[in-house]
Structures are given as C-alpha cells and as structure tokens.
Amino acid sequence: MEDSLLFNSPGYPILSFIMLMPLIGALVCHVLRGNLALKIWGLIVTGLTALMSMPLYVLFDRTSARYQFAEVRAWIPALDLNYVVGVDGISVLLVLLTTLMMPLCVLCSWHFIRERLAEFIIVLLLMETAMIGVFVSLNTVLFYIFWEGMLVPMYLLIAVWGGPRKDYASIKFFLYTLVGSVFLLLALIVLYVQTDTFFIPELMSADLTFPLQMLIFIACAVAFVIKIPLYPFHTWLPAAHVEAPTAGSVILASLLLKMGCYGFLRLALPIAPEAAQFCAPVMIGLALVSIVFGGCLALAQTDIKRLIAYSSVAHMGFVTLGIFVFSTRGIKGALLEMINHGVITGALFIGVGMLYERTGSREIRNNSGLSMLMPVFVAFMALFGLAALGFPGTSGFVGEFLIMIAAFEQHQTVGLLLIPGVVLAAAYMLRLLQKLIWADCDGIYCLPVHAGDGFYVTVSDLSIREWCLMAVLAVPVLWVGLYPAPLLEIMSCSVDSLLQYLPHAP
Amino acid sequence: MPHAVVLFSPELTLAGMAVVFFAFSLTRSHPMLLQAVAMVFALMALITTTITYATEGVLFAGVYRVDAFSQTFKILISLGMLLVLWLGSGLRGVKRSVRPEYYFFFALSCLGLMMMCSATELLTILLSLEISSFAVYILIPLRFGVGQRAPLEAGIKYILFGLVATGITLYGMSYLFGLTGTTDLVAMMEVLPRPLSLQPLALIGLVMMLCGIFYKLALFPMHFWMPDIFVGAAHETTAFVATIPKIAATALLIRVVSLCGPSEQLTTMLAIMAVVSMTLGNLLALAQDDVKRLLAYSSIAHAGYLIIGVLCIEPFGLLSAMYYVYGYLWMSLACFFVIYNLSDDGRNIRFCDLRGLYKRSPIMAGVLVVGAIGLAGLPPTIGFTGKFMIFAAALKQQHYWLVSLAVFNVCISAFYYLRLVRAAYSNVEQETDYIELSAAAKLLGILIIIAIIVGGLLPQNFLSLARDGLAAIMP
C-alpha cells in the first residue's frame, strides 16, 4: 500500500488540515452573533483554507506520479477500513481550485444573502469540506461519504436561499444525483466484495474480468454522467442553476460539475480500463451531442443564467471528450479545461449575480446596453465571455485547443464534428455580449435599464469589493491563457501514469 | 458461573421498576418525579447490563441463557428505554391519573423484551413475547387529547393482530415440538436434519414460529398493525413501539437463524419478505400526509433492510443487522423527538405543521434533517454505514438482485424523507411562535445529532462490542 504513497507533508497533516478547517469553522458559526461577524468569519475561514492550501502547489513533487502529502490512519478496523488521503497531479489542481473559489463565493454573497446568514455560511463551509474530501480521498468509502455529503448542503443551498421555483429545482437536483450515486455505491461495494480492498490504488492494479469491468464502468458512468452532466441527463442543471443563489451557482458550475469528470479519471478509467475503452465511442458520442445540443440550447435562451448553464453542458462535453480519447494531450486538455471552466463560468455567474442585484432581472432584454452605465463591469464580462468561447490568449483557448488536437489525432471525424460546437460557442457568447454591451434584441439603444413593469432604475458600476472579485478571477484567465506550462507540468506525471493503465486507443 | 442474581440483575431491576410504579399508582405524584424515577431505573438497567456483559451462564434449568450476545442486546434495550423515557418528558400525551400505570406497563413490556434476548426455549420465548405484548396492549389506548376512537381502535387492532400472530407462532412451535420432541432450541436444531429442506415440515414450523418475531419487527406479511397503531397511540408509546421491540425481535431472530445455520429455503423466504416489505413500505409512505403514518410505513421498509443482513446467516451479515437496528433506534427517535416536541397538545403531526420549523426551532429542524438523511441512508450518518454494511454482506453472498432492489428502494425512500426536510425548511408567510425547548430536550436533541453522525463515521466501538456478542453464539 505504501509504495503508491508519498509522505511529504510539511510537518503537519496538510490535507486533513485544509479539509477539516471549514468544518470546524462551521461549528464555530453557531456561537457567532451578528451578520457582519458571520460574513467576516466565513471569509476568514475560507481565506485561511486557501492560504493553507498553497503549500500543496509549492511543495508538490512534479516528478512523481505517486499520491503526495499522504496520510494513513486506521479508521474502522472491523471492516479493514483505513482513512487514506493524498493528492496527485490530477486532484491537486482541483483541490486548489476549490479552496480558491470558496472565499469568492462568500464575497459574492456579501449583500445578496440577508436572511439566515449563519446557516448560509455553515452550508458553504460544509460544502467546502465535502468537496475537498472528494478530491483527496484515496479510499472508496471515504470518497463516497464525501460525494454524498455534498448532496444535502447543496440541496439546502438551493431549497432555502433559491429563487421562485426552488422547490422544483432543488428536489430535481437531489433525486437526479442521488439515483446516480446509489449506482456508484453499488459499484464500490461490488469492487470491495471482489477485491477485498477499499484502497483506490490497489483497486487500479486489481485484475478484473471484462464483464465485471463493464458492470462497474456502467454503474460509475451513470453516476458521473449525471453529475457532469451530459445529454440526456442534463435537465437538472439549468433548473438548479437558475434557482440557486449566486454562490450556489458558482459552486455548482465551478466545482460540482468537475466531480463527474474527476470520478472518471480517478475511478472508472483506471479500475475498468478495458470497459472504458469498449464504451469510449458511446461516451464520445454523448459528449459530442452535449456540445452541439448544449450550444444550440444556449443560443435559444433569454435568461442569462440559463444561457451560461447550457454553455456549461457544452463545455463539460469538451472535457468528457478529452478524457475519452485516451491520449496525453486529451486528458491534459480536459484537466485544464476543468480548471478554466471553473474559473470562467464562476466569474460569469458572479457577474450575472451582480447584474441581478442591480436590476432584479436576469433577462437579456432587461440588462442590455450597459456599456455606458457599467463600463468596468462590461469589460470584465467581455473578457470572461471571450474566454468562455475559447478566444486565443485566454485560458479557455488552451484547454479547448489541446482537446481538439487530441480529437483530430485520434479520430478525424470526431475532430470535424467538434467544429460546429466551437462555432456555436462563439455564436451564443457573442450574442450575449453584444446585447449586454450595446443594445436589446431589436437593436434599439436602450437606456436606462428597464426593470420590468414600467419603472426605471439607474445602475451603478462595480464597487471595490466587486472589482476585486472580478480582478482576482481575471488573473488566472490571462495567466493560463498566455503561460499554461506550470499547470501542465504539475499534471504531467500523473496523466502519464494514468495512461499506462489504459489500453492504447484504436 | 456467577450467582444467578447477578446474571438476572437487569431483569430484576425492571421488575423492581414495575413494583415501584405499582406503588406510585396508589398515590398522586408529580409527572417530573415519575419520569426521574423511571429514568433512574433505566439507567440502573443500563449499568447492570454493562456489568454483566462479560458474564456467561444458564438460568432456570437451561431455558435462559445469559451471554455476551444477550447482554449486548440488553444494553441496547436499556439504552433505548432511557432515551424513550427522556424523550417523552412529562408524558404529555397520557392522562395524568394513569401516568404511574403507564410506567408500570412500560417496565413490564421492557422486561419481556429483555427476556426475549436470553430465551433459548420455546415456552420461554412464548412467555417473553406475551409479557411484552400484553403490556403494550394496555399502553396503546392510553392517550389523551384526541378523543377515544383512534386510540381504542389502535388498541383493539394491536390485540387482535397480536393474538393472531401468537396463534401462528404456537402452531409453528407445535410442529417443531412434534418433530423433535424437545422445546429447547439447541437440542432441537441438533435433531433436525441438515439441510432443513430435507424436512419441509420443520421449515414450515420454523417460519410459522418466526411469525411472532416478524410481528414485533413489523415485517411483511405481519405488518398490518403498524400504521394504525402509530396513528392511534400517543407519541411516547409510538416512539417505544417503533424501536425497542425491534431490538429484541432482532436478537431472537439472530439467535434462531444462527442456530439453524445456512439454509437456502430460509434465505429465499426471508429475501422475498424483505423485498415486499421494503417496496410496500416505501411506496405507501410516498402517499402519506400524516408524519406518524409515514414513519410507520418507513419502519416497515426498514424492517426489510434489516432482514437483508439477517438472511445472510453469516457473522458479517448478522453483525451488520445488529448495527442497523442500533442505528435505527437513534434515527427513529430523532423523528419522534421532533413529533413529540412539536405537538404540544398531543395531536398528530401533518406535513403542514412542519412548515417553517427551521425558524421556530433550529434544533428540532436540525434533528429532523439528520434523522431523515440517516433514514434515507445518506452519509455521513449511521444509516449510511448500516446500509453499506448490509449491502456489502448481501453482495458477498451473491444476492445481486436483492441488493439491486434494495438500492432501488433507497432511491424511492429518499423522496419522502426529503419531503420532511423540505417541509422543515420551507418558508411560512405568517409569523409563527418560537418553540422553546427545555434544557433536557435540547440536550437530547444534540445527543441524537451527535450519535447519528459520529456513530456513522466511527462505528468501531459498537462493532467490536457487537462482534464479541456475536462470537458468543457463533464461535
């Protein structure tokens, strides 16, 4: 067991530390009084967690494919169950993405959440613990506990602080993901019964028969495809996004959607490689359909949040495609795209949240012609919008470009089929930007902003808090867009070792 | 062998409790005093069972076995008693003049249930089943504040169904006695041929005998009584009937099936009952508006999950069943905690009464959420760990279809448990009163939350206790 782990924690158990810090912070919330104190406390805890996670980036050994910063503790001896955590090049970036996005989630709800603030901060912190837990678990039971542990806080986030149709959206989210998860649970128990271990690296090297691999792959795939989500299991996503508060949308888009792809990379691919290869055409097909279908639907939306939600379906299609071409470039591109999508879509949702706080509407029609009123905001939105459509020089370009190269290398047709998806992305994003910046749908210059029933509101540009939020998110977009090498270097070894488990693609 | 009094001390404590409350029934006492005395006795029972945990012995000419297995379950029963008494503080749902009698019958019923854990002989089993049932026959109609009809109807139904179950049990026992000429379980199992299918009559007799246990567990097809009893009886009584008899019934069931050993026919039959119980319970629970009725159907479904662990008839499966029944005690009490404290006048609770609970009492909303996600089997709760172990045990025995159906049921059940959470966290338009809980109730609420979560994440202590207990009957 030990030979796949690298114990290079900096003197203290860093992974447990950043995982448990939000949980402890959540417990402290019960004794705090006053909204401002709670908000500041939430910011302190998430900020400290982000700061504490920095050593993961600095001390990460880029030449090793082993699981680093590992910890092993006896947990339930009666079941031979150990508490094992560790990160490799695949998960370390996702952990960092989580810890860095969470302070922004607190910041972006600074004014928006007014009631039940203590509970809100608690739910956010619980989410953070669960999400970090999923990324660092090296034990299937631990993985599943955190995986399901995300469900209830996210449900509450939508159901308590959501929009008008929160009941419908939250229960749909819950039931969809729960049904997926129980399949995952079955797969994990079957794996345990067959191999007598819960330890993920050991499961990877287990030699499973093809029918068993198929069983496990299909059960995992159901869970992950729903979580990603790919067509035709995507219907929960727009509903959940539209009703969720801004922080909920950001968590959902930036982090929760990554769980499915991460699950494929961590469990389904290495444990059931032959089955993964057998099913790859189906997965690639689903990914292509998601890209085109998501793009078309995004083009038809009038609600900005809904538009971004459908664009997420398309982007996650790109990620899935990158994973299932089984090449270094493809998987690296997919990982990079996961990070980029997390940052860009998070930023777009935060932007929509800012608009909604000002105008009370998320309709494109009611938010058009903003260039005179909110020049700074519009500039940021333009940057993130362009990044979302994969404009060269932004981070969106690098990920998509790598995935497209990989697709062309492996299957010419798949590469060609991707092109409409890229064109659609440009179409819906440029349409959105054009209307946000210049005019409403009839091309009439509309100023000031119309907020529905016959009254007008004036809108102010970004406050310092909001400016900081957007600026912080713009940094990685440009940085990764211009110089992605450090991130690619971190994932390099682990991706190569993952590919060794996989049979060579046809 | 330790002295018989030591071995029998938990039962003697409960008998003492019954005597004391018989004396109390002649006086008028303050409800809090009564509750305090009852809880002291429950605590003493807990202590005596813990002390006698490591002892082993046979009493009453071999019909009564005290070993680590029986004591494990007696610890659970005493713990359950303590919690149920703590939960029903002041017995608001019971008429003041009969409160001492209530505790009297409560003690007698628990005495019967404890005896069930140690009984190894047919007549002792029957006697303990009847002691526990007869006391509950009287407890059920003791309800105040909702009129006479529903409690009496519940009482009559429980008696009638109970008598039928007893009849079937006796009939089954007569077959077994006729076949083997002995009433001692161990001797009987030695005489019976293996596998049991060689002697179909033995199998039929065994299953009929188990009907009495299934009745206590509310397992299909002996589940009919549960919804009406839940709705008709007082909340305190319901909390008791829903949890503690299930513990004792599990003990007896595990003892009987472990003596039988693996048997394909028995497993198949239990599997069918488990599947029907789960599916029926979950589907009917979907349609309920009365929270207690919903819990009744969910209780039937949980009996089904529990049986999956039992039907594996190997140590890991039985261990998981023991853990599950322990978890069910906490999760079920979480729901009854909310019902009892929410219904200040003893009425039944509907979904609309739960609305806005998170504003009226955050602690109760928290307990309800934790209980509901535990019952739904989501981590990180005791319900998840229990289901995980049960499914793992069943998959080890290659019961793929059974586990698939159980997992399907988990999905169905999530919907109605989520309805509870949703109701508690939904907004209300009009301002409603804040519900002030007493310090003791708050403490219990926090204890329940901690037990459900910590018990689920760190089950090692209970598992090693239960494993030692199991080793006493399955070396």
Side-chain angles (χ1 to χ4, degrees):
Chain A
M1 169 180 218
E2 259 69 27
D3 53 350
S4 58
L5 302 175
L6 191 63
F7 298 91
N8 56 346
S9 293
Y12 57 96
I14 180 165
L15 289 177
S16 299
F17 210 80
I18 58 171
M19 193 171 82
L20 292 178
M21 200 134 91
L23 185 67
I24 295 164
L27 294 178
V28 175
C29 277
H30 288 286
V31 289
L32 289 177
R33 291 282 172 271
N35 281 356
L36 190 65
L38 279 163
K39 282 189 273 197
I40 291 176
W41 175 248
L43 195 60
I44 289 175
V45 173
T46 51
L48 258 178
T49 312
L51 220 58
M52 298 293 306
S53 65
M54 284 300 125
L56 290 183
Y57 182 80
V58 180
L59 300 177
F60 189 84
D61 181 357
R62 284 144 175 84
T63 59
S64 165
R66 292 195 286 175
Y67 298 91
Q68 309 193 14
F69 310 105
E71 291 165 45
V72 182
R73 276 173 235 276
W75 177 23
I76 310 178
L79 298 173
D80 278 335
L81 203 54
N82 288 321
Y83 168 88
V84 196
V85 293
V87 286
D88 65 352
I90 293 170
S91 51
V92 69
L93 291 175
L94 292 165
V95 173
L96 288 169
L97 179 71
T98 311
T99 57
L100 294 177
M101 286 307 283
M102 289 312 285
L104 305 182
C105 287
V106 177
L107 271 179
C108 76
S109 353
W110 205 258
H111 292 305
F112 188 67
I113 303 296
R114 292 221 168 75
E115 57 171 30
R116 318 215 57 77
L117 198 80
E119 284 85 346
F120 183 77
I121 301 286
I122 291 173
V123 165
L124 279 191
L125 294 175
L126 289 181
M127 277 302 290
E128 183 169 10
T129 292
M131 289 186 300
I132 296 174
V134 170
F135 290 133
V136 302
S137 302
L138 290 181
N139 170 314
T140 49
V141 178
L142 206 57
F143 179 90
Y144 188 79
I145 286 181
F146 287 121
W147 176 273
E148 287 280 69
M150 298 184 298
L151 210 55
V152 175
M154 193 63 214
Y155 166 77
L156 288 177
L157 207 55
I158 302 173
V160 178
W161 294 275
R165 292 178 73 211
K166 57 189 181 185
D167 260 14
Y168 166 78
S170 56
I171 208 135
K172 194 167 179 180
F173 161 78
F174 193 94
L175 289 182
Y176 259 79
T177 33
L178 180 76
V179 169
S181 305
V182 293
F183 279 97
L184 178 63
L185 177 65
L186 266 188
L188 298 183
I189 299 180
V190 169
L191 267 178
Y192 165 65
V193 169
Q194 294 292 335
T195 61
D196 245 355
T197 176
F198 292 109
F199 187 48
I200 292 175
E202 253 169 54
L203 289 172
M204 288 180 186
S205 45
D207 214 11
L208 304 173
T209 59
F210 184 71
L212 187 64
Q213 283 195 18
M214 280 303 282
L215 189 77
I216 287 172
F217 184 83
I218 290 172
C220 287
V222 171
F224 298 149
V225 163
I226 290 177
K227 203 88 170 182
I228 287 178
L230 290 185
Y231 177 87
F233 301 104
H234 65 284
T235 55
W236 63 268
L237 183 74
H241 264 313
V242 170
E243 301 308 325
T246 305
S249 290
V250 174
I251 293 181
L252 203 55
S254 302
L255 308 169
L256 235 57
L257 299 192
K258 309 298 172 292
M259 301 292 171
C261 302
Y262 175 73
F264 272 122
L265 290 174
R266 174 62 74 237
L267 291 173
L269 254 54
I271 292 176
E274 275 119 43
Q277 194 193 16
F278 185 80
C279 296
V282 180
M283 298 302 300
I284 289 177
L286 282 181
L288 282 172
V289 173
S290 301
I291 293 171
V292 176
F293 196 74
C296 289
L297 283 171
L299 201 54
Q301 301 307 317
T302 57
D303 181 312
I304 309 176
K305 245 186 168 178
R306 207 169 254 278
L307 188 153
I308 303 171
Y310 279 114
S311 83
S312 290
V313 175
H315 279 128
M316 296 319 283
F318 267 102
V319 177
T320 316
L321 187 77
I323 293 173
F324 278 91
V325 292
F326 301 137
S327 69
T328 321
R329 280 209 187 88
I331 292 180
K332 278 185 180 170
L335 266 170
L336 209 56
E337 177 76 359
M338 277 156 81
I339 309 288
N340 297 336
H341 176 261
V343 175
I344 296 166
T345 311
L348 285 173
F349 274 121
I350 291 176
V352 178
M354 292 173 180
L355 265 187
Y356 185 71
E357 281 175 40
R358 286 173 170 75
T359 64
S361 167
R362 285 188 297 256
E363 288 291 312
I364 299 178
R365 196 160 49 83
N366 295 342
N367 288 308
S368 56
L370 293 171
S371 58
M372 294 286 278
L373 290 166
M374 305 171 71
V376 181
F377 172 78
V378 160
F380 277 121
M381 283 304 264
L383 171 68
F384 296 126
L386 289 178
L389 67 85
F391 194 75
T394 61
S395 59
F397 173 73
V398 187
E400 270 180 38
F401 189 65
L402 279 172
I403 295 172
M404 287 190 72
I405 294 178
F408 270 109
E409 273 176 359
Q410 305 289 340
H411 322 264
Q412 285 279 330
T413 5
V414 173
L416 286 172
L417 287 172
L418 265 178
I419 293 173
V422 180
V423 175
L424 275 171
Y428 62 73
M429 264 303 153
L430 289 177
R431 167 176 163 268
L432 172 69
L433 288 178
Q434 186 244 331
K435 287 180 179 165
L436 271 187
I437 298 174
W438 285 294
D440 74 352
C441 37
D442 302 324
I444 301 162
Y445 198 67
C446 169
L447 186 119
V449 173
H450 183 239
D453 304 322
F455 66 92
Y456 291 85
V457 289
T458 50
V459 291
S460 53
D461 209 346
L462 300 186
S463 65
I464 293 178
R465 172 183 63 89
E466 293 168 326
W467 194 91
C468 291
L469 258 172
M470 291 305 226
V472 166
L473 286 163
V475 172
V477 170
L478 292 172
W479 177 39
V480 176
L482 297 172
Y483 186 52
L487 297 190
L488 292 173
E489 188 198 342
I490 275 201
M491 58 183 77
S492 177
C493 277
S494 297
V495 170
D496 287 342
S497 96
L498 172 68
L499 281 169
Q500 278 170 9
Y501 287 107
L502 298 173
H504 288 289
Chain B
M1 192 173 107
H3 195 270
V5 174
V6 178
L7 290 177
F8 206 56
S9 57
E11 288 85 344
L12 286 177
T13 313
L14 291 189
M17 177 174 167
V19 172
V20 167
F21 278 103
F22 180 68
F24 267 119
S25 68
L26 305 175
T27 64
R28 281 181 79 85
S29 307
H30 193 270
M32 283 300 152
L33 173 72
L34 291 175
Q35 193 201 356
V37 173
M39 281 180 69
V40 166
F41 271 106
L43 198 63
M44 276 165 58
L46 188 59
I47 293 168
T48 46
T49 45
T50 317
I51 291 172
T52 51
Y53 177 73
T55 58
E56 199 164 325
V58 181
L59 296 176
F60 310 125
V63 301
Y64 199 82
R65 244 187 100 73
V66 176
D67 50 23
F69 176 78
S70 70
Q71 298 316 97
T72 309
F73 275 97
K74 284 179 198 171
I75 289 176
L76 288 187
I77 289 175
S78 329
L79 177 72
M81 275 179 76
L82 189 66
L83 292 172
V84 168
L85 290 169
W86 190 350
L87 182 142
S89 70
L91 289 184
R92 281 201 299 273
V94 179
K95 214 184 205 166
R96 185 158 188 179
S97 55
V98 294
R99 279 176 189 163
E101 283 88 341
Y102 183 93
Y103 287 121
F104 170 71
F105 288 114
F106 182 88
L108 277 186
S109 180
C110 290
L111 174 65
L113 294 175
M114 274 203 180
M115 287 168 62
M116 225 196 271
C117 304
S118 283
T120 56
E121 190 254 4
L122 296 186
L123 288 178
T124 323
I125 292 174
L126 190 72
L127 195 69
S128 55
L129 269 172
E130 290 310 288
I131 292 178
S132 64
S133 295
F134 269 84
V136 178
Y137 293 154
I138 300 164
L139 283 182
I140 284 173
L142 294 182
R143 186 177 188 189
F144 181 61
V146 290
Q148 287 289 313
R149 200 170 171 280
L152 280 180
E153 185 191 325
I156 300 265
K157 275 189 176 156
Y158 193 69
I159 294 173
L160 285 180
F161 285 129
L163 290 179
V164 170
T166 309
I168 298 174
T169 305
L170 263 174
Y171 196 56
M173 285 177 174
S174 72
Y175 274 168
L176 289 177
F177 177 69
L179 280 171
T180 60
T182 171
T183 57
D184 183 70
L185 273 181
V186 180
M188 180 187 293
M189 292 302 167
E190 273 165 10
V191 177
L192 286 177
R194 290 300 145 84
L196 280 179
S197 47
L198 289 177
Q199 180 53 277
L201 202 57
L203 204 62
I204 294 170
L206 192 67
V207 170
M208 287 174 86
M209 184 183 87
L210 290 178
C211 276
I213 304 176
F214 297 151
Y215 177 71
K216 291 270 173 213
L217 272 177
L219 185 77
F220 172 87
M222 309 300 288
H223 66 282
F224 290 103
W225 57 277
M226 202 133 199
D228 287 323
I229 277 50
F230 268 47
V231 172
H235 303 321
E236 304 85 326
T237 320
T238 322
F240 167 62
V241 175
T243 50
I244 305 180
K246 287 202 173 194
I247 298 175
T250 312
L252 190 52
L253 188 61
I254 289 180
R255 205 182 270 279
V256 173
V257 297
S258 69
L259 283 173
C260 284
S263 149
E264 205 178 311
Q265 281 74 19
L266 192 62
T267 301
T268 311
M269 195 210 58
L270 287 175
I272 293 170
M273 291 164 90
V275 168
V276 179
S277 221
M278 287 184 301
T279 316
L280 192 87
N282 281 326
L283 287 179
L284 287 173
L286 282 177
Q288 304 307 322
D289 185 47
D290 186 311
V291 177
K292 266 166 67 175
R293 199 171 267 275
L294 180 145
L295 285 177
Y297 286 113
S298 112
S299 181
I300 295 170
H302 280 276
Y305 299 130
L306 179 74
I307 291 297
I308 297 180
V310 175
L311 62 80
C312 295
I313 321 191
E314 46 87 38
F316 185 62
L318 299 179
L319 180 70
S320 62
M322 287 170 82
Y323 180 70
Y324 200 78
V325 78
Y326 165 69
Y328 183 73
L329 168 72
W330 284 106
M331 297 184 293
S332 190
L333 286 182
C335 297
F336 284 108
F337 171 82
V338 174
I339 292 175
Y340 182 75
N341 287 306
L342 195 59
S343 146
D344 43 2
D345 53 358
R347 275 178 309 108
N348 283 349
I349 298 288
R350 299 184 163 277
F351 268 99
C352 52
D353 298 313
L354 288 172
R355 289 183 72 86
L357 186 65
Y358 75 115
K359 274 187 186 155
R360 288 148 70 198
S361 171
I363 281 202
M364 264 153 71
V367 173
L368 186 65
V369 169
V370 173
I373 65 171
L375 287 169
L378 296 181
T381 60
I382 208 162
F384 163 73
T385 316
K387 284 205 177 77
F388 180 84
M389 287 175 59
I390 282 180
F391 293 166
L395 283 178
K396 269 191 178 164
Q397 304 287 309
Q398 324 264 306
H399 299 304
Y400 291 108
W401 282 109
L402 184 60
V403 176
S404 307
L405 288 168
V407 163
F408 182 63
N409 265 290
V410 169
C411 294
I412 300 177
S413 71
F415 182 76
Y416 63 81
Y417 292 124
L418 202 61
R419 271 179 78 199
L420 288 173
V421 178
R422 226 162 59 152
Y425 279 87
S426 61
N427 279 313
V428 274
E429 287 77 28
Q430 77 275 23
E431 268 308 300
T432 34
D433 301 334
Y434 187 77
I435 303 169
E436 194 58 54
L437 290 180
S438 65
K442 270 185 190 157
L443 191 65
L444 179 63
I446 293 169
L447 184 71
I448 289 175
I449 293 180
I450 292 175
I452 291 177
I453 292 178
V454 175
L457 284 180
L458 303 168
Q460 182 57 31
N461 289 338
F462 180 81
L463 287 180
S464 57
L465 181 85
R467 180 177 271 182
D468 292 348
L470 214 52
I473 59 162
M474 283 188 111

